[in-house]
Amino acid sequence: MSLFSAVEMAPRDPILGLTEAFNADTRPTKVNLGVGVYYNEEGRIPLLRAVEEAEKARIAAHAPRGYLPIEGIGAYDQAVQKLLFGNDSALLADGRVVTAQALGGTGALKVGADFLKRLLPDALVAISDPSWENHRALFESAGFRVQSYRYYDAASHGLNRAGMLEDIKALPARSIVLLHACCHNPTGVDLSGDDWKQVLEAIREGGHVPFLDIAYQGFGDGIEEDAAAVRLFAESGLQFFVSSSFSKSFSLYGERVGALSIVTASKDEAARVLSQVKRVIRTNYSNPPTHGASVVASVLNSPELRALWEAELAEMRGRIQSMRQAMVEQLAAQGAKRDFAFVAQQRGMFSYSGLSAEQVERLRSEFGIYAVATGRICVAALNQRNLSSVTQAIAQVL
Ligand code: PMP
C-alpha cells in the first residue's frame, strides 16, 4: 500500500479556482474582479519606477548573495519601523520595537503566530467576520482555536460597531485579537478614529493581545493616515504585534516582502523577544531572501526614490478612489435598483458589493465577469475600458 493512499484531496482555494475559470473563459469581454492585486489603467500589475531604479542600481553594484541575518536587512527593518510607527516615535527611540523581515505579510503572521503559541499556548484567537480567508487557517495551523467577532453589517454595508465591541468584551481574558489596521479585506469597511479608541479600551480591559495586520498601507487615505491605528496602539502602553507587507504598496507580490514588528515594554524585553523570534525563523526557513527587501530599503532610504514611490503610491490610491466614485455614478446612471454610495466610502482594493452568490453567478455565466461568491469585488481591477460593461452587467443582475 502506498504511503499516500489515504491522503485526501484538499479543498481548492476558492479565489485561485476563480482565476483558473477566468483564464479558461474565451470571451474577449471577460473581466476578473476576483483577484487580490492592484491592476493599473492598462489592466496590468505595475512595475513601479522607484522599484525599477533601485533594481538597476542593485544589478550594477553586483551585490553578492550571501545569507542575510535571521531577522533580515537592518536598514529594511528600521525603514519598516519608521513607516509604521512614525519618524518621531518614542517607542523607537526607546528601542522597544522588534522588527524582523518576513516572507510577505503572510510570513509575518505565521512567525508571529508561532511565537505567540509558545507564549500563550491556550489563547483563543479572534478574527473579524468576515476576514481574509488565510487568517483563520494560519492561526489554526499554528495550533490555536480561532473564532470570529462580528464586524460587517450587511444592512448598512458598514461596521457592526456594537457587535464588534460586545464580542471583543466577551472574549476570555488574554485572547489574541487580530485587527485589520486599514483597508479591510474583504469588505473595504474600516473603523473610524473613535471606533479604534473604543476597540483599544475593550482590548485593554480584557487584557487581550492586539495583532494588527496592515497589508495595504498607503492604499486607503495615505501612508501616515493609514497607520493611525498602529500609532494609537503605540501610544496606549500595550504590548502588541504588527504584520506588514509591501506586496501591494510596492507592487512586489512575488518577491515576498513583509515584516513582523512586536512592541515590548522595554529595550531589555525587546532583546529577549527578538532572540525568540529569531529562533522561530531559524527553524522555519533560516533567513529571508535578499532581493525584495533590499529594493524596498533602497527606495525608502533614498530621498529621491522615496519621493517617486510616494507619488506612484498616491497615483494607485487615487485611481482606486476614482474607480470607486465612477462605479457609484455609472451604476446610478444605468438605473441600478440600489444605492451603491457605500462603495465610495469603503477603502482599499476591495468592496463587499452586496451582490448575492446568485447574482455573482449570473455575472459570470451571462457576462464573463468574475467576482467572489461572497460579493467581494476588487475595485483595483476596474479601469476606464471595463467600467461601463461591468456596471451595466451589475445593473442587469440586480
Ligand atoms: N493580510 C491581509 C489582510 C491580506 O489581504 C493579505 C494579502 N492579500 C496579506 C495579509 C498577506 O499579504 P502577502 O501577500 O504580503 O503575504
Side-chain angles (χ1 to χ4, degrees):
M1 200 175 76
S2 159
L3 173 63
F4 308 113
S5 54
V7 173
E8 287 172 16
M9 186 61 85
R12 261 157 63 110
D13 182 295
I15 295 176
L16 297 185
L18 198 69
T19 301
E20 284 166 25
F22 173 79
N23 290 339
D25 193 325
T26 53
R27 285 172 284 188
T29 54
K30 66 182 180 176
V31 180
N32 191 358
L33 303 180
V35 292
V37 293
Y38 173 90
Y39 287 131
N40 62 17
E41 183 56 34
E42 284 72 52
R44 283 196 294 271
I45 297 175
L47 174 64
L48 301 190
R49 276 168 49 218
V51 166
E52 207 177 333
E53 291 304 318
E55 286 184 324
K56 276 190 209 151
R58 184 155 194 264
I59 288 167
H62 293 284
R65 304 292 158 98
Y67 290 126
L68 289 182
I70 297 172
E71 71 276 28
I73 300 170
Y76 169 86
D77 291 335
Q78 282 161 23
V80 167
Q81 292 184 336
K82 287 195 185 127
L83 218 47
L84 293 173
F85 297 94
N87 285 332
D88 308 321
S89 159
L91 287 181
L92 296 184
D94 292 346
R96 284 170 50 195
V97 185
V98 167
T99 295
Q101 185 186 327
L103 305 183
T106 309
L109 284 158
K110 183 63 163 80
V111 172
D114 284 348
F115 174 54
L116 274 166
K117 184 67 188 172
R118 296 172 184 208
L119 271 181
L120 302 170
D122 302 319
L124 186 69
V125 176
I127 63 173
S128 62
D129 178 21
S131 197
W132 179 45
E133 72 284 345
N134 215 6
H135 277 154
R136 174 180 290 277
L138 266 162
F139 279 90
E140 282 180 353
S141 84
F144 286 106
R145 282 173 304 133
V146 178
Q147 75 177 41
S148 54
Y149 54 82
R150 280 170 285 173
Y151 188 84
Y152 179 69
D153 176 43
S156 66
H157 304 281
L159 182 71
N160 181 351
R161 184 173 299 100
M164 179 180 184
L165 287 167
E166 207 176 291
D167 289 350
I168 291 175
K169 285 179 183 163
L171 290 170
R174 269 248 180 287
S175 292
I176 296 160
V177 183
L178 192 68
L179 299 152
H180 297 236
C182 70
C183 305
H184 187 269
N185 177 9
T187 65
V189 173
D190 282 346
L191 276 66
S192 69
D194 192 51
D195 297 333
W196 276 115
K197 285 187 190 140
Q198 293 186 46
V199 166
L200 172 65
E201 285 319 314
I203 285 176
R204 194 201 297 277
E205 279 163 32
H208 303 317
V209 180
F211 199 137
L212 304 185
D213 184 15
I214 178 159
Y216 302 91
Q217 188 177 359
F219 266 44
D221 292 312
I223 298 170
E224 296 294 308
E225 292 85 344
D226 292 350
V230 178
R231 310 279 166 92
L232 183 74
F233 278 84
E235 283 168 16
S236 72
L238 296 179
Q239 285 84 61
F240 64 100
F241 287 62
V242 185
S243 53
S244 56
S245 168
F246 292 113
S247 298
K248 282 80 186 184
S249 59
F250 270 78
S251 194
L252 278 173
Y253 306 88
E255 296 296 346
R256 314 308 298 131
V257 215
L260 173 68
S261 297
I262 305 176
V263 175
T264 68
S266 68
K267 196 173 176 172
D268 169 65
E269 228 177 68
R272 285 182 280 121
V273 166
L274 177 61
S275 73
Q276 293 297 338
V277 167
K278 282 164 72 171
R279 211 163 160 194
V280 172
I281 293 172
R282 179 74 176 146
T283 53
N284 265 297
Y285 51 85
S286 200
N287 49 71
T290 52
H291 184 71
S294 73
V295 165
V296 168
S298 308
V299 172
L300 293 178
N301 292 322
S302 141
E304 296 78 38
L305 292 184
R306 185 177 172 122
L308 182 56
W309 169 66
E310 287 191 14
E312 292 184 286
L313 181 57
E315 196 182 314
M316 294 195 278
R317 175 171 66 245
R319 205 188 79 74
I320 295 173
Q321 275 166 8
S322 69
M323 282 300 123
R324 288 188 178 279
Q325 199 57 48
M327 186 177 158
V328 176
E329 285 161 14
Q330 293 218 8
L331 279 164
Q334 267 139 16
K337 292 187 240 91
R338 203 184 283 173
D339 181 11
F340 281 90
F342 63 86
V343 172
Q345 305 305 314
Q346 296 167 339
R347 284 290 172 273
M349 298 207 308
F350 302 112
S351 169
Y352 246 27
S353 62
L355 294 171
S356 67
E358 205 179 315
Q359 289 163 337
V360 167
E361 175 49 29
R362 278 191 62 199
L363 281 179
R364 188 194 62 75
S365 58
E366 293 174 32
F367 302 96
I369 293 166
Y370 290 72
V372 184
T374 54
R376 186 191 87 165
I377 58 168
C378 178
V379 186
L382 291 171
N383 56 49
Q384 294 297 346
R385 281 167 298 121
N386 63 26
L387 185 68
S388 74
S389 61
V390 167
T391 49
Q392 261 171 32
I394 293 176
Q396 284 187 45
V397 302
L398 284 179

